[in-house]
Each structure stands twice: as structure tokens, then as C-alpha cells.
Amino acid sequence: MLAWTHPACLTHDPGPGHPEQPARLRVVLDALQEAWPDLDWRDAPAARRGALLRVHADRLVDQVLEPLPAGLRHLDTDTLLSPGSARAALHAAGAGIAAVDAVLAGETTTAFCAVRPPGHHATADTAMGFCLFNNIAVAAAHARDQHGLERIAIVDFDVHHGNGTQAIFQREPKVAYLSSHQSGLYPHTGSVHERGAGNLHNVLLPPGSGGFRFRNTWLDTLLPALDDFRPQLVLVSAGFDAHLSDPLADLMLDADDFAWITAELRTVAARHGGGRLVSMLEGGYNLDALAECTVAHVGALRG
């Protein structure tokens, strides 16, 4: 497998005490490098404006990329820009594009993008929920438009619903969106009744569900829906904030649950898409748990 990151992703700094801090990426990189010194790392390129405009409005791109010499700029209560945010956002989005190109060129079958800020809450015209550009949506649109794929699946096991990803693709039958997420949490979207063009599959899990209910939900509902879609490419919004130690949620999973779902997704990808799978880091706000879960996830990607 291959992995992408970029030093610029450490320069997005929403300020002291913010959950989405640069230390998140530092612990991920340190843990992966310790676990697998042989992991093949690549520098994530900056996404070009045209790639962003496949899923985002001009005004959002301008808002994120507007120079900020110092201080912080609030986009909403929890989503902020710092002087390094624009470059970080460009390289975070560019990582997914580069990874898609690599798996579709046959250079690798699996890829992991260790980048931040996360992306799945960003809608076409609004940065929100710690997210500036929707990295996974940019990658999916690139796979569709530049590579001509007809069946792209985005699988999201972050504890929060990826409202932005869903909104961007809810009328696009070439892209399926499948998500399990905790009920009662931000952004309060992702009902089972939200079906889009028949391409949306949401399951809400109550607080305290734990691994048994999480796994059975995927086995009974979401994995069969993914199999029925027969994806040529699987993209993963890999959030680890469903871990039992995470301060922002209460789904009570552990690292083995993330390794399990990753292995299941690889099986579906192998069945329909030659094993092609690209994963992008989303949430996870307990640093020790984030490091442990990312190692488990990448371990399953390595096979």
C-alpha cells in the first residue's frame, strides 16, 4: 500500500483547546512510522482549483484560500482559519486525488491519506464542523470525471454523519454514500429516510452501541447495500471518534472494530473493483485512541 501526507497539514491551527489540533496528525504519523518503518510515504500535492470546483462553489474556495497573515478567522463557531489553513486544505484535498490516481493506475491497490483538516462535513458552499474542503468528495468527483468510473462508493464510519458528502452527491447515482453514525450528534442529519437518488444508505446507532451492534449493523444492512452497488472504487471516510475513549461521542468501539470493518471493506473492494480502496482520515479526538485505531486500520489495509 501507499500513504500520503504533507507537512502543510500540520500548519492548520484552530487555536488552543480546539479538538481538531495539529497534534492529531503528529500522533498518527508517529504511530504509523513506528509500526511500519517500511510504509511507502508520498508527498500530497496541492489540489488545483478546478478539482475543488467539481464539488465546491467559487465563493467557498475563495473564502478558504483568502490570505490570512495572522490570527484566526471564524467561519462558524467551531470552524476556523489560521495562516496555514489554506495550504493545509489544498494538500489534504490533493492527497485524495493523488491516491485515486495511484490505485486506478495499478500502482497500489490500497492507500491511506494521513491529512487534515478533515472534510466530510463541508458542503458545496459551506465550511463547517472543523472541515474546510470536502476531501473525500473531491476524490470521488475526480474518479468520476477524470477516470470515467460509473460506480464509486464512499463509506463513512466516522461517529458523525458526513452531511456534506451526502449533500454533494445525493442526486448523483454514480456515487453511493453509506454511513453508520451515532444518533443525537452533530450535525443531526443522516436519517434512514434520506435516500437521495436511491444512492444513500444511513444507519443511526444509539449511544453505547459497542462493537457487537456496530458489526451486526454493517453485516445486516450496509455491507449488503455496498455489495449490491458493485463499486469499482471504494473511498473511506475513516473517522475514529467512535472509539470508547473519544471525548466527543459515546459509541464505544475499540481498535479491533475498526480493523474488522476495514477488512470487510477490502473484501468488497476485491470482489468488485480489483481491491481498489482509498482511505482518508476524518475525526478522532483522543490522541492515544486515534493513534491506536489508525494503526489497526492501516494494518488491515496492508493485509
Side-chain angles (χ1 to χ4, degrees), residues 13-287:
D13 188 354
H18 195 284
E20 210 292 283
Q21 56 187 283
R24 295 182 62 243
L25 183 54
R26 290 194 193 100
V27 300
V28 166
L29 296 176
D30 288 347
L32 292 178
Q33 287 162 359
E34 180 179 355
W36 295 289
D38 63 333
L39 190 57
D40 191 347
W41 287 96
R42 307 289 176 90
D43 277 343
R48 296 186 178 184
R49 187 180 184 93
L52 300 173
L53 292 177
R54 292 192 184 106
V55 301
H56 288 304
D58 270 302
R59 67 184 185 89
L60 174 60
V61 176
D62 290 341
Q63 182 182 46
V64 172
L65 299 185
E66 182 181 355
L68 180 64
L72 295 172
R73 179 185 301 140
H74 281 260
L75 301 182
D76 65 20
T77 303
D78 299 315
T79 309
L80 298 91
L81 294 172
S82 69
S85 297
R87 285 192 69 230
L90 286 172
H91 286 281
I97 293 171
V100 165
D101 285 342
V103 300
L104 292 176
E107 188 177 354
T108 183
T109 53
T110 60
F112 179 64
C113 299
V115 294
R116 57 179 289 279
H120 71 156
H121 292 310
T123 67
D125 59 5
T126 305
M128 58 188 293
F130 311 163
C131 302
L132 302 180
F133 296 138
N134 194 313
N135 307 319
I136 205 85
V138 170
H142 177 75
R144 179 195 61 194
D145 295 350
Q146 293 298 110
H147 293 279
L149 296 193
E150 298 285 333
R151 298 185 307 281
I152 304 156
I154 300 175
V155 176
D156 190 336
F157 53 70
D158 190 284
V159 80
H160 302 94
H161 180 243
N163 60 299
T165 311
Q166 174 174 299
I168 288 168
F169 292 117
Q170 62 185 340
R171 299 299 175 193
E172 172 51 274
K174 294 181 180 180
V175 180
Y177 177 75
L178 305 95
S179 173
S180 65
H181 42 277
Q182 184 179 321
S183 60
L185 287 186
Y186 177 92
H188 306 288
T189 55
S191 161
V192 296
H193 303 296
E194 296 171 13
R195 295 304 311 280
N199 60 328
L200 306 180
H201 306 272
N202 290 303
V203 175
L204 286 86
L205 295 169
S209 286
F212 181 78
R213 185 160 186 168
F214 172 81
R215 295 188 191 203
N216 281 338
T217 293
W218 279 92
L219 284 170
D220 293 344
T221 304
L222 293 173
L223 287 171
L226 180 61
D227 228 355
D228 288 345
F229 184 64
R230 297 178 296 113
Q232 298 164 295
L233 172 68
V234 175
L235 303 177
V236 181
S237 275
F240 301 107
D241 39 8
H243 189 274
L244 58 89
S245 298
D246 199 273
L248 300 189
D250 302 288
L251 211 49
M252 309 300 284
L253 305 188
D254 61 25
D256 288 342
D257 295 313
F258 293 110
W260 174 84
I261 186 58
T262 305
E264 292 293 322
L265 296 176
R266 283 198 69 191
T267 298
V268 177
R271 187 176 298 132
H272 303 291
R276 295 186 292 257
L277 186 152
V278 172
S279 173
M280 303 197 72
L281 182 65
E282 297 281 3
Y285 304 100
N286 177 288
L287 298 183

